[in-house]
Amino acid sequence: MKSMMQRMVVVWQKGLNNNMTCRSQSRALNTLKDNYSCQILKSPPLASLDLPDVWTHSSTHYDPPSTQNCTNEQTAAVIDGKSIAEEIRLRIASEVSRMKKSIGQVPGLAVILVGQRKDSQTYVRNKIKACEEAGIKSVMTELPDDCTEDEVLCALSSFNENPSVHGILVQLPLPQHFNEEKILNVVSLEKDVDGFHPLNMGNLAMRGREPLFIPCTPKGCIELLFRSGIEIMGKKAVVIGRSNIVGLPTSLLLQRHHATVSIVHAFTKNPEQITCEADIVVTAVGVPNLVRGSWLKPGAVVIDVGTYPVEDPSCEHGYRLIGDVCYEEAIRVVSAITPVPGGVGPMTIAMLLFNTLHSAKRAYDFT
Amino acid sequence: MKSMMQRMVVVWQKGLNNNMTCRSQSRALNTLKDNYSCQILKSPPLASLDLPDVWTHSSTHYDPPSTQNCTNEQTAAVIDGKSIAEEIRLRIASEVSRMKKSIGQVPGLAVILVGQRKDSQTYVRNKIKACEEAGIKSVMTELPDDCTEDEVLCALSSFNENPSVHGILVQLPLPQHFNEEKILNVVSLEKDVDGFHPLNMGNLAMRGREPLFIPCTPKGCIELLFRSGIEIMGKKAVVIGRSNIVGLPTSLLLQRHHATVSIVHAFTKNPEQITCEADIVVTAVGVPNLVRGSWLKPGAVVIDVGTYPVEDPSCEHGYRLIGDVCYEEAIRVVSAITPVPGGVGPMTIAMLLFNTLHSAKRAYDFT
């Protein structure tokens, strides 16, 4: 889960850093205004407007919840992502076994891991373990931190051409000297089980078109809603965060299911006011306790994609994970909520397996 | 402008047709629920959920505005799209002339027109006239209604390969027997001046990526805002309608400029309530007078993309165009509004010329 957060575009800085970033944002804007005032169009070029999302809301400074504004009673059902994911993985395993019996083939997932990041190694290990349990064949290429772009591209090409590989995953983040966009562009569209290719995203966004893959975490969020009997059509949904891998595709997906979607980001004034009108809130920014109880409408449903490690000597690894939502406050207000951990996290891996199976079925024309 | 409306996905039907469409929507949903209850995932496949947008709000039945709820005074500035577009076209002409003097080349636009639709012929004629005035070379291929797909694809391929063509436009709608998606997919990405290719849309949606072209009408809307001194960043924007050619790209574009965007569509409950919180409203559904004065926040800015012909014997052609917004009511509430006609319409052509110039500059590496 942490790797997912590291792949998010959101920048969360406090104090001096934060002020500096705000100043540089404003400087960048002024320079833009000066440079483009004599052009044909008044609108500045898009790329340069791609400012970092810096969250500065004071409510992110978390104090233990007061009981003044909420009852002491927990009203929320806890959406158990772990057991829902488990159930999905069992069904995937049974489909893989049916495929093997029927055509003698199984789905294959290839993972490319560059460098020695401990967290990346853990996530890759978890994915490979999940593949094994479902009967999906996995292969991994490990490359050292100082390898060249060509070495990564070469490994990618070989997986692109290998007919027994149906899904390819480049574990992110890559070491800093790599051009992530260039590398991800090389992943064959038919094997892009992460669904991050812009063509895929365009097809997800456009009516009448269909993406080859739906990105895993957004798909997991929607699945949690469906499995919890929560209707999406006609509901007001707010997505907090607009990252390419969670916020954006989740908003597009909710809209495809006919929710009325608003996207809240670091430049939103009064995010609280917009969020507290939503029937469904999906939050994916990685800012601990950003969403307080007062941000939520009584009876709303909350899907918390954020994860943030906080030190906790009482836990096995010396830390525990918390989400974007102030859980203790939220459970007294909303009707259903995902916990962190054990909510969206397990669903991401289940959806990765699902996409790999789906890709293999398509490759072998197996129904 | 009408062709643009015809290209929109929105279906607007009244009475029996409307009821039938609602019933078939509900039938489709029930079938989906039955078919997919035994699948691995609970979420139905996306393509099948692509229901038509049927607007059924009673407020669309327009009666002459009452003066009870609004003052008699016009408070809105009228955003004069015609003169803004004229200014942009003059600057484009001057750039084209500079290009010709400097490298002996001019931008080229190719138009493919299939069939004998009077309205399509008019729009194409207007585009070609605008090209001429700006010094942009235009070529047109006219094909009969009963031509084959291969003939259209052949014309397209020849324009794709022609280095003096920098923009290609397939005038929509195509006759019914054509697969529009298949044909549009063949337009070279570098010449897709309409910007409707899904790869282009994906790049528009994703942070850190840049589309080759921004679709003309959405770009025109943003330009009107910039030229009217209206700040977008941090503002609440509502886009009404989610068509691939206006609603979707406009919402993505507003978000890139850091507005907080909500997308209202036919499945939105209480669209009025969401719209009347917006600082900026862009409406593109083609439902006359859908947006009443009561839908608008005092001081909001309204960009009306909708056009709908209504009979009017006093007008030259026996009809006049009206927009999605009840103009007479809106001008008493908002701070600025585009008229219909003379608002967004002229901007669409100006942006088409801009995209063609931009494409030629890229092709010749001319700055």
Side-chain angles (χ1 to χ4, degrees), chain A residues 272-324:
Chain A
E272 205 167 327
Q273 186 201 344
I274 295 170
T275 307
C276 77
E277 286 172 8
D279 306 304
I280 298 168
V281 176
V282 181
T283 171
V285 288
V287 179
N289 297 310
L290 175 74
V291 179
R292 306 294 299 263
S294 60
W295 286 42
L296 299 165
K297 180 165 108 170
V301 175
V302 176
I303 307 289
D304 190 350
V305 184
T307 53
Y308 192 87
V310 286
E311 276 185 35
D312 187 340
S314 72
C315 294
E316 194 187 350
H317 301 288
Y319 72 94
R320 63 189 172 89
L321 295 176
I322 58 172
D324 289 343

Side-chain angles (χ1 to χ4, degrees), chain A residues 9-178:
Chain A
V9 191
V10 172
V11 176
W12 169 239
Q13 291 169 307
K14 281 183 190 165
L16 184 65
N17 281 341
N18 195 354
N19 290 336
M20 280 179 66
T21 314
C22 287
R23 270 205 302 276
S24 57
Q25 272 183 2
S26 137
R27 234 192 341 259
L29 275 178
N30 285 334
T31 315
L32 272 175
K33 282 178 187 165
D34 294 344
N35 286 352
Y36 297 103
S37 58
C38 54
Q39 303 275 335
I40 297 177
L41 303 185
K42 297 285 183 194
S43 44
L46 284 180
S48 317
L49 252 185
D50 229 342
L51 305 172
D53 268 354
V54 183
W55 292 87
T56 53
H57 310 296
S58 60
S59 64
T60 58
H61 301 290
Y62 176 67
D63 298 311
S66 104
T67 50
Q68 277 186 319
N69 295 324
C70 39
T71 68
N72 279 320
E73 227 175 298
Q74 169 169 348
T75 62
V78 177
I79 300 175
D80 183 354
K82 204 171 162 187
S83 75
I84 292 175
E86 189 55 41
E87 192 192 322
I88 292 171
R89 283 164 59 174
L90 283 175
R91 298 195 75 155
I92 291 171
S94 122
E95 276 293 280
V96 170
S97 146
R98 187 172 72 82
M99 181 186 247
K100 192 174 183 180
K101 273 184 205 143
S102 167
I103 58 166
Q105 302 283 356
V106 294
L109 179 73
V111 183
I112 294 177
L113 175 62
V114 184
Q116 301 290 319
R117 287 180 67 114
K118 281 257 161 56
D119 52 353
S120 289
Q121 286 171 332
T122 308
Y123 308 131
V124 167
R125 204 166 42 236
N126 288 344
K127 287 168 189 172
I128 286 175
K129 188 163 161 265
C131 279
E132 273 170 21
E133 285 170 11
I136 293 173
K137 205 177 129 189
S138 61
V139 280
M140 179 162 76
T141 293
E142 275 191 275
L143 291 165
D145 249 319
D146 59 354
C147 74
T148 64
E149 209 165 78
D150 273 352
E151 287 175 90
V152 180
L153 293 176
C154 177
L156 255 180
S157 300
S158 122
F159 288 142
N160 276 343
E161 283 157 27
N162 186 340
S164 70
V165 167
H166 309 99
I168 301 172
L169 205 87
V170 181
Q171 183 66 37
L172 300 179
L174 289 168
Q176 281 216 323
H177 64 285
F178 285 100

